[in-house]
Amino acid sequence: MNLLDTLERRFGSLAIHNIAIYIVAGQVGIWLLSFGYVNSDGSNALLERMLFDSSLVLQGEIWRIFTFPLIPPFAHPIFLIFAWYIFYMISSALESQWGAFRLNLYMIIGAILGMAAGFLLSGVPISNAIWGQTIFLAFAYLFPDFELRLFFILPVKVRWLGWIVWAYLALLFFSNPVWQTKFFLIASVSNYFLFFTKDILHTFQSKKRVAHMKAEKEKFEAEAFHTCSVCGATDKSHPDRDFRYRGDVCICEVCLEKEKTEAQGEA
């Protein structure tokens, strides 16, 4: 029994089932409330007070720790509806695959690690964007052939969208010179590697074994089974010839006929 099984056996009853419904409902509620907190410069006071900022948390704004998952995406209302639908769909699929406890744990670990690393970015507000991306990456790993329709038209398999997200995260990592930001990015996706590293290594090893077996099979098939001890012809180089054996000595039909002709001539 691995660690996840042990934790689920002990604390599984505490899991929140259908957690995606509560998160989406919370984000919708916060988004609707935020219309009453728009500043003259276009910023939103409510959403700004929900962002995780380690310096403000240390000053007593503890609620920022708990509002982290409830920050709605900063997008146009049409894309917001689409984003909420996608989040609910992939979270429900993950819960169906993993169970409520493991999905809860995956989300909690991602949020905690991201916020913990956020203490290195004192004074820099942090949203839950990367946290949401790790949930999508988990879905892309477990359901790579699932198709989404971009702009409701173009069908794209989730595996390719997952690679785009990884490319985006890699770009952020390598383009940012600040080591604290690099560490934050690594910590924010650590929940993915905690859950999938073992499976990734197992898959890699399995593919390596399959490739080795395939190479051995091709090598075996490429090697000659019969080799004439007289002329060196093989069943690969001369597939039209028959081969005979005299004890352990192999001889092709052509050489055998030559021997017979020479024997008759001597006689």
Side-chain angles (χ1 to χ4, degrees):
M1 181 178 292
N2 58 33
L3 179 59
L4 282 176
D5 292 331
T6 302
L7 291 174
E8 185 171 10
R9 183 167 55 85
R10 293 184 179 180
F11 306 108
S13 59
L14 301 177
I16 301 174
H17 294 267
N18 298 315
I19 190 172
I21 292 179
Y22 300 104
I23 294 176
V24 171
Q27 290 189 3
V28 171
I30 294 298
W31 180 72
L32 292 174
L33 287 174
S34 68
F35 286 101
Y37 295 84
V38 179
N39 299 323
S40 57
D41 60 356
S43 60
N44 194 290
L46 177 61
L47 297 182
E48 288 177 353
R49 290 179 68 82
M50 293 182 66
L51 293 171
F52 180 82
D53 188 324
S54 58
S55 61
L56 295 177
V57 170
L58 293 176
Q59 293 176 22
E61 298 186 8
I62 304 298
W63 67 82
R64 292 178 181 268
I65 296 175
F66 304 100
T67 58
F68 184 77
L70 300 179
I71 303 171
F74 294 90
H76 189 276
I78 294 179
F79 292 103
L80 263 177
I81 295 173
F82 183 68
W84 282 325
Y85 167 74
I86 293 296
F87 180 83
Y88 172 76
M89 180 191 68
I90 64 177
S91 298
S92 298
L94 289 174
E95 184 169 339
S96 176
Q97 179 76 10
W98 277 343
F101 175 79
R102 296 196 181 203
L103 176 61
N104 285 198
L105 190 63
Y106 184 83
M107 290 181 171
I108 291 171
I109 290 175
I112 290 176
L113 291 176
M115 288 187 288
F119 279 91
L120 297 174
L121 302 172
S122 180
V124 179
I126 298 172
S127 73
N128 56 14
I130 297 180
W131 176 76
Q133 289 171 5
T134 61
I135 297 171
F136 179 80
L137 289 172
F139 177 77
Y141 181 83
L142 292 174
F143 305 95
D145 294 322
F146 184 87
E147 283 190 351
L148 288 175
R149 292 191 174 272
L150 293 183
F151 309 109
F152 306 101
I153 299 174
L154 183 64
V156 180
K157 287 189 176 182
V158 169
R159 72 168 78 241
W160 304 119
L161 297 177
W163 282 116
I164 291 174
V165 172
W166 279 120
Y168 168 72
L169 293 174
L171 180 63
L172 289 180
F173 180 86
F174 290 108
S175 64
N176 198 303
V178 181
W179 72 266
Q180 291 93 334
T181 303
K182 293 180 183 291
F183 184 82
F184 165 73
L185 290 170
I186 293 173
S188 296
V189 298
S190 293
N191 57 335
Y192 177 90
F193 292 106
L194 285 173
F195 271 68
F196 292 110
T197 295
K198 184 177 179 180
D199 288 341
I200 292 172
L201 291 176
H202 179 72
T203 300
F204 175 77
Q205 292 171 352
S206 296
K207 289 183 176 179
K208 189 176 179 180
R209 285 195 298 269
V210 170
H212 177 72
M213 292 172 62
K214 184 178 179 180
E216 288 294 322
K217 181 180 178 181
E218 291 176 350
K219 180 181 178 182
F220 175 78
E221 291 176 347
E223 292 178 350
F225 190 73
H226 304 291
T227 302
C228 180
S229 59
V230 178
C231 67
T234 68
D235 55 325
K236 298 295 182 182
S237 62
H238 297 78
D240 55 322
R241 293 189 185 181
D242 289 331
F243 293 82
R244 300 288 187 268
Y245 281 85
R246 291 196 295 238
D248 295 331
V249 179
C250 177
I251 185 170
C252 68
E253 60 180 353
V254 174
C255 294
L256 190 61
E257 287 297 327
K258 286 182 179 180
E259 284 188 0
K260 289 182 179 178
T261 301
E262 290 173 359
Q264 290 174 356
E266 292 177 358

